[in-house]
Amino acid sequence: RGLQPAHFSETPMTPQEETIILEARDILGRYLSQNPVIGSWQALMDYCALTVRGPIERFHVLYLDRKNRIISDELLSTGTVDHVPVYPREVIKRALMLNASALILIHNHPSGDPTPSEPDLSMTKEIQKGCKYLGLTLHDHIIVGAGTELSLRALGKF
């Protein structure tokens, strides 16, 4: 992508901070598994930020039931500092295996800039085509940056 890393240092967390982060993930995960994920946009953004942010690109998919509750949060791929391989076929295959009705794509940009790249946009369109053909709903693709999350649906990118 040619983006330069953000000017912030990765300071190690204390054991207490690591425990707090793990507890927050657990609380948000329980909340989202019992409540419609689409009904609480802020909880979804908080969950994305806690789950996906990091020094390498990670691609997650939230697979949802008919009531938009999380069936599974799947880490489908990890990559490098500026690339993560994503296979639309595998994303959709897993949705069918889980009997999901909808999905939300999530990945991070370790550079801190959540601006979507052309490969991000084309991969999203490929997954959207497959979902439409098979009767699945692609709710959104969220890109997590440094302290901010960006929704491709909100940007009108699909």
Side-chain angles (χ1 to χ4, degrees), residues 18-31:
E18 287 180 12
T19 300
I20 290 168
I21 297 274
L22 290 172
E23 288 173 356
R25 284 182 182 162
D26 184 52
I27 291 165
L28 281 167
R30 275 196 323 259
Y31 173 82

Side-chain angles (χ1 to χ4, degrees), residues 72-112:
S72 184
D73 171 358
E74 307 262 326
L75 171 60
L76 290 190
S77 190
T78 57
T80 64
V81 295
D82 65 355
H83 173 76
V84 62
V86 176
Y87 304 99
R89 173 188 167 121
E90 295 303 314
V91 171
I92 292 169
K93 180 173 120 180
R94 188 70 182 133
L96 297 173
M97 290 171 64
L98 291 168
N99 289 318
S101 297
L103 38 116
I104 297 172
L105 310 175
I106 309 164
H107 85 280
N108 66 317
H109 283 177
S111 69

Side-chain angles (χ1 to χ4, degrees), residues 27-42:
I27 291 165
L28 281 167
R30 275 196 323 259
Y31 173 82
L32 290 173
S33 69
Q34 296 167 4
N35 297 286
V37 69
I38 303 305
S40 177
W41 187 252
Q42 190 56 54

Side-chain angles (χ1 to χ4, degrees), residues 53-141:
R53 187 171 288 132
I56 60 168
E57 281 205 32
R58 298 161 46 103
F59 181 79
H60 283 248
V61 180
L62 298 180
Y63 293 101
L64 311 172
D65 68 11
R66 291 199 185 283
K67 293 184 178 181
N68 289 323
R69 292 178 301 212
I70 296 175
I71 296 169
S72 184
D73 171 358
E74 307 262 326
L75 171 60
L76 290 190
S77 190
T78 57
T80 64
V81 295
D82 65 355
H83 173 76
V84 62
V86 176
Y87 304 99
R89 173 188 167 121
E90 295 303 314
V91 171
I92 292 169
K93 180 173 120 180
R94 188 70 182 133
L96 297 173
M97 290 171 64
L98 291 168
N99 289 318
S101 297
L103 38 116
I104 297 172
L105 310 175
I106 309 164
H107 85 280
N108 66 317
H109 283 177
S111 69
D113 180 358
T115 304
S117 66
E118 276 307 313
D120 292 342
L121 297 172
S122 63
M123 176 269 301
T124 303
K125 286 181 178 151
E126 286 300 308
I127 292 172
Q128 185 182 28
K129 281 187 222 169
C131 286
K132 189 173 183 179
Y133 184 76
L134 294 170
L136 298 165
T137 301
L138 177 59
H139 284 305
D140 209 337
H141 182 167

